[in-house]
Coordinates of all heavy atoms in Angstrom, one line a residue:
V63 N 65.7 66.1 -52.6 CA 66.2 65.4 -51.5 C 66.2 63.9 -51.9 O 65.6 63.5 -52.9 CB 65.5 65.7 -50.2 CG1 65.7 67.1 -49.8 CG2 64.0 65.3 -50.3
K64 N 66.9 63.1 -51.0 CA 66.8 61.6 -51.1 C 66.5 61.1 -49.9 O 67.0 61.6 -48.8 CB 68.1 61.1 -51.7 CG 68.4 61.5 -53.2 CD 69.7 60.8 -53.6 CE 69.9 61.2 -55.1 NZ 71.0 60.5 -55.6
G65 N 65.8 60.0 -49.8 CA 65.5 59.4 -48.5 C 64.7 58.1 -48.7 O 64.4 57.7 -49.9
F66 N 64.3 57.5 -47.6 CA 63.4 56.4 -47.7 C 62.6 56.3 -46.3 O 63.0 56.8 -45.4 CB 64.1 55.1 -47.9 CG 65.0 54.6 -46.9 CD1 64.5 53.8 -45.9 CD2 66.4 55.0 -46.9 CE1 65.4 53.4 -44.9 CE2 67.2 54.6 -45.8 CZ 66.6 53.8 -44.9
G67 N 61.4 55.7 -46.4 CA 60.6 55.4 -45.2 C 60.3 53.9 -45.2 O 61.2 53.1 -45.3
R68 N 59.0 53.6 -45.3 CA 58.7 52.1 -45.3 C 59.0 51.5 -46.7 O 59.1 50.3 -46.7 CB 57.2 52.0 -45.1 CG 56.7 52.4 -43.7 CD 55.3 52.2 -43.5 NE 55.0 52.5 -42.1 CZ 53.7 52.8 -41.7 NH1 52.8 52.6 -42.6 NH2 53.5 53.1 -40.5
Q69 N 59.3 52.3 -47.7 CA 59.7 51.8 -49.0 C 61.0 51.0 -48.9 O 61.2 50.0 -49.6 CB 59.8 52.8 -50.0 CG 58.6 53.3 -50.6 CD 58.9 54.5 -51.6 OE1 59.3 55.6 -51.1 NE2 58.8 54.2 -52.9
K70 N 61.9 51.5 -48.1 CA 63.2 50.9 -47.9 C 64.0 50.7 -49.2 O 64.8 49.9 -49.3 CB 63.1 49.5 -47.2 CG 62.3 49.5 -45.9 CD 63.1 49.1 -44.8 CE 62.5 48.9 -43.5 NZ 61.5 49.7 -43.1
G71 N 63.8 51.6 -50.2 CA 64.5 51.5 -51.4 C 64.1 50.3 -52.3 O 63.0 49.7 -52.1
H72 N 64.9 50.0 -53.3 CA 64.4 49.0 -54.2 C 65.8 48.4 -54.9 O 66.7 49.0 -54.8 CB 63.5 49.4 -55.3 CG 63.9 50.4 -56.1 ND1 63.9 51.8 -55.8 CD2 64.5 50.4 -57.4 CE1 64.4 52.5 -56.8 NE2 64.7 51.7 -57.7
T73 N 65.6 47.2 -55.6 CA 66.7 46.6 -56.2 C 66.6 46.9 -57.7 O 65.5 46.8 -58.3 CB 66.6 45.0 -56.0 OG1 66.8 44.9 -54.7 CG2 67.9 44.4 -56.6
E74 N 67.8 47.2 -58.3 CA 67.8 47.4 -59.8 C 68.9 46.6 -60.4 O 69.8 46.2 -59.8 CB 68.0 48.9 -60.1 CG 66.9 49.7 -59.7 CD 67.0 51.2 -60.4 OE1 68.0 51.5 -61.0 OE2 66.1 52.0 -60.1
L75 N 68.8 46.4 -61.7 CA 69.8 45.6 -62.5 C 70.5 46.6 -63.4 O 69.8 47.3 -64.1 CB 69.0 44.5 -63.2 CG 69.8 43.3 -63.8 CD1 70.4 42.6 -62.5 CD2 68.9 42.4 -64.6
Y76 N 71.7 46.6 -63.4 CA 72.6 47.5 -64.3 C 73.7 46.7 -64.9 O 74.5 46.1 -64.1 CB 73.1 48.7 -63.5 CG 73.9 49.6 -64.3 CD1 73.2 50.5 -65.3 CD2 75.2 49.7 -64.2 CE1 74.0 51.2 -66.1 CE2 76.0 50.6 -64.9 CZ 75.3 51.3 -65.9 OH 76.1 52.2 -66.6
R77 N 73.7 46.5 -66.1 CA 74.8 45.8 -66.8 C 75.0 44.4 -66.3 O 76.1 44.0 -66.0 CB 76.1 46.5 -66.9 CG 76.0 47.8 -67.7 CD 77.3 48.4 -67.9 NE 77.2 49.6 -68.8 CZ 78.2 50.4 -69.1 NH1 79.4 50.1 -68.7 NH2 78.0 51.4 -69.9
G78 N 73.9 43.8 -65.9 CA 74.0 42.4 -65.4 C 74.3 42.3 -63.9 O 74.1 41.2 -63.4
A79 N 74.6 43.4 -63.3 CA 74.8 43.4 -61.8 C 73.6 43.9 -61.1 O 73.0 44.9 -61.5 CB 76.0 44.1 -61.5
E80 N 73.2 43.2 -60.1 CA 72.1 43.7 -59.2 C 72.6 44.6 -58.1 O 73.6 44.3 -57.5 CB 71.4 42.5 -58.6 CG 70.0 42.8 -58.0 CD 69.3 41.6 -57.6 OE1 68.7 41.0 -58.5 OE2 69.5 41.2 -56.4
Y81 N 72.0 45.8 -57.9 CA 72.4 46.6 -56.8 C 71.2 47.2 -56.1 O 70.1 47.3 -56.7 CB 73.3 47.7 -57.2 CG 72.7 48.7 -58.2 CD1 72.4 49.9 -57.7 CD2 72.7 48.4 -59.6 CE1 71.8 50.9 -58.6 CE2 72.1 49.4 -60.4 CZ 71.7 50.6 -59.9 OH 71.2 51.5 -60.8
V82 N 71.3 47.6 -54.8 CA 70.2 48.1 -54.0 C 70.3 49.7 -54.1 O 71.3 50.3 -53.9 CB 70.3 47.7 -52.6 CG1 69.2 48.3 -51.8 CG2 70.2 46.1 -52.6
V83 N 69.1 50.3 -54.4 CA 69.0 51.8 -54.3 C 68.3 52.1 -53.0 O 67.2 51.8 -52.8 CB 68.1 52.3 -55.5 CG1 68.0 53.8 -55.3 CG2 68.8 52.0 -56.9
D84 N 69.2 52.5 -52.1 CA 68.6 52.8 -50.7 C 67.8 54.1 -50.5 O 66.9 54.1 -49.9 CB 69.8 52.8 -49.7 CG 70.5 51.4 -49.4 OD1 69.7 50.4 -49.6 OD2 71.6 51.4 -49.1
F85 N 68.4 55.1 -51.2 CA 67.7 56.5 -51.0 C 67.0 56.8 -52.3 O 67.6 56.8 -53.4 CB 68.8 57.5 -50.7 CG 69.5 57.3 -49.4 CD1 70.7 56.6 -49.3 CD2 68.8 57.6 -48.3 CE1 71.3 56.4 -48.2 CE2 69.4 57.4 -47.1 CZ 70.7 56.8 -47.0
L86 N 65.8 57.0 -52.2 CA 64.9 57.3 -53.3 C 64.7 58.8 -53.5 O 64.8 59.6 -52.6 CB 63.5 56.8 -53.1 CG 63.5 55.2 -53.0 CD1 62.1 54.8 -52.6 CD2 63.9 54.5 -54.2
P87 N 64.7 59.3 -54.9 CA 64.6 60.8 -55.0 C 63.2 61.3 -54.6 O 62.2 60.7 -54.9 CB 64.8 60.9 -56.5 CG 64.4 59.5 -57.1 CD 64.7 58.5 -56.0
K88 N 63.3 62.4 -53.8 CA 62.0 63.0 -53.3 C 62.2 64.5 -53.5 O 63.3 65.0 -53.8 CB 61.8 62.7 -51.8 CG 61.6 61.2 -51.6 CD 60.3 60.7 -52.0 CE 60.2 59.2 -51.6 NZ 59.0 58.7 -52.0
V89 N 61.1 65.2 -53.2 CA 61.2 66.7 -53.3 C 60.6 67.2 -52.0 O 59.6 66.7 -51.5 CB 60.3 67.3 -54.5 CG1 60.2 68.8 -54.3 CG2 60.9 66.9 -55.8
K90 N 61.3 68.2 -51.4 CA 60.9 68.7 -50.2 C 60.4 70.1 -50.4 O 61.1 71.0 -51.0 CB 62.0 68.8 -49.1 CG 61.5 69.5 -47.8 CD 62.4 69.3 -46.7 CE 63.6 70.1 -46.6 NZ 64.4 70.1 -45.3
I91 N 59.1 70.4 -50.0 CA 58.5 71.8 -50.2 C 58.4 72.4 -48.8 O 57.9 71.7 -47.8 CB 57.0 71.6 -50.9 CG1 57.2 71.0 -52.3 CG2 56.4 73.0 -51.0 CD1 55.9 70.6 -52.8
E92 N 58.8 73.6 -48.7 CA 58.7 74.3 -47.4 C 57.9 75.6 -47.6 O 58.1 76.3 -48.5 CB 60.1 74.7 -46.9 CG 61.0 73.5 -46.6 CD 62.4 73.9 -46.2 OE1 62.6 74.1 -45.0 OE2 63.2 74.0 -47.1
V93 N 56.9 75.7 -46.7 CA 56.0 76.9 -46.8 C 55.7 77.4 -45.4 O 55.6 76.7 -44.5 CB 54.6 76.5 -47.4 CG1 53.7 77.6 -47.5 CG2 54.8 75.8 -48.8
V94 N 55.8 78.7 -45.3 CA 55.4 79.4 -44.0 C 54.1 80.1 -44.2 O 54.0 81.0 -45.1 CB 56.5 80.3 -43.4 CG1 56.1 81.1 -42.2 CG2 57.9 79.6 -43.2
V95 N 53.2 79.8 -43.4 CA 51.8 80.4 -43.5 C 51.3 80.9 -42.1 O 51.7 80.4 -41.1 CB 50.7 79.4 -44.2 CG1 51.2 79.1 -45.6 CG2 50.7 78.1 -43.3
S96 N 50.3 81.8 -42.2 CA 49.6 82.1 -40.9 C 48.8 80.8 -40.4 O 48.5 80.0 -41.1 CB 48.7 83.3 -41.1 OG 47.7 82.9 -42.1
S97 N 48.7 80.8 -39.1 CA 48.1 79.6 -38.5 C 46.7 79.3 -39.0 O 46.2 78.1 -39.0 CB 48.1 79.8 -37.0 OG 49.3 79.9 -36.4
D98 N 45.9 80.3 -39.4 CA 44.6 80.1 -39.9 C 44.5 79.5 -41.3 O 43.6 78.8 -41.7 CB 43.8 81.3 -39.9 CG 44.4 82.5 -40.8 OD1 45.6 82.5 -40.9 OD2 43.7 83.3 -41.4
K99 N 45.7 79.4 -42.1 CA 45.8 78.8 -43.4 C 46.2 77.4 -43.2 O 46.2 76.6 -44.3 CB 46.6 79.6 -44.3 CG 46.0 80.9 -44.9 CD 47.0 81.4 -45.9 CE 46.3 82.6 -46.6 NZ 47.2 83.1 -47.7
Q100 N 46.7 77.0 -42.1 CA 47.4 75.6 -41.9 C 46.6 74.5 -42.4 O 47.2 73.7 -43.3 CB 47.7 75.4 -40.4 CG 48.3 74.1 -40.2 CD 48.5 73.8 -38.6 OE1 48.7 74.8 -37.9 NE2 48.6 72.7 -38.3
E101 N 45.4 74.4 -42.1 CA 44.6 73.2 -42.5 C 44.4 73.2 -44.0 O 44.4 72.1 -44.6 CB 43.2 73.1 -41.7 CG 43.5 72.7 -40.2 CD 44.3 71.4 -40.0 OE1 44.1 70.4 -40.7 OE2 45.2 71.5 -39.2
A102 N 44.1 74.3 -44.6 CA 43.8 74.4 -46.0 C 45.0 74.1 -46.8 O 44.9 73.3 -47.9 CB 43.4 75.9 -46.4
V103 N 46.2 74.4 -46.3 CA 47.4 74.2 -47.0 C 47.7 72.7 -47.0 O 48.1 72.0 -47.9 CB 48.6 75.0 -46.4 CG1 49.9 74.5 -46.9 CG2 48.4 76.4 -46.8
I104 N 47.5 72.0 -45.7 CA 47.8 70.7 -45.6 C 46.8 69.8 -46.5 O 47.2 68.9 -47.2 CB 47.6 70.1 -44.1 CG1 48.7 70.8 -43.3 CG2 47.5 68.7 -44.0 CD1 48.6 70.7 -41.8
E105 N 45.6 70.2 -46.4 CA 44.6 69.5 -47.3 C 45.0 69.6 -48.8 O 44.8 68.6 -49.5 CB 43.2 70.1 -47.1 CG 42.1 69.3 -47.7 CD 40.7 70.0 -47.3 OE1 40.5 70.2 -46.1 OE2 39.9 70.1 -48.2
A106 N 45.4 70.8 -49.3 CA 45.8 71.0 -50.6 C 46.9 70.0 -51.0 O 46.9 69.4 -52.1 CB 46.1 72.4 -51.0
I107 N 47.9 70.0 -50.1 CA 49.1 69.1 -50.4 C 48.7 67.7 -50.5 O 49.1 67.0 -51.3 CB 50.2 69.3 -49.4 CG1 50.8 70.8 -49.4 CG2 51.3 68.3 -49.6 CD1 51.6 71.1 -48.4

């Protein structure tokens, strides 16, 4: 996925031109677990 939070992207230089990268590359992980495993999974992540 791509997105941003407080980072708000960053500025890069390409062939002498400056441009803003608004959306940063991220990875979204989705897991479904029983409620008793919830805290252990969050802590591990």
Side-chain angles (χ1 to χ4, degrees):
V63 296
K64 291 183 179 188
F66 68 90
R68 291 186 181 161
Q69 278 178 290
K70 305 245 191 316
H72 62 279
T73 305
E74 288 190 4
L75 200 61
Y76 179 72
R77 293 188 178 179
E80 193 173 274
Y81 67 99
V82 176
V83 178
D84 290 330
F85 296 101
L86 301 171
K88 301 287 182 179
V89 172
K90 178 165 79 169
I91 299 170
E92 297 174 89
V93 179
V94 176
V95 296
S96 57
S97 297
D98 59 326
K99 283 189 176 181
Q100 174 184 336
E101 289 306 317
V103 168
I104 291 171
E105 188 176 314
I107 294 170

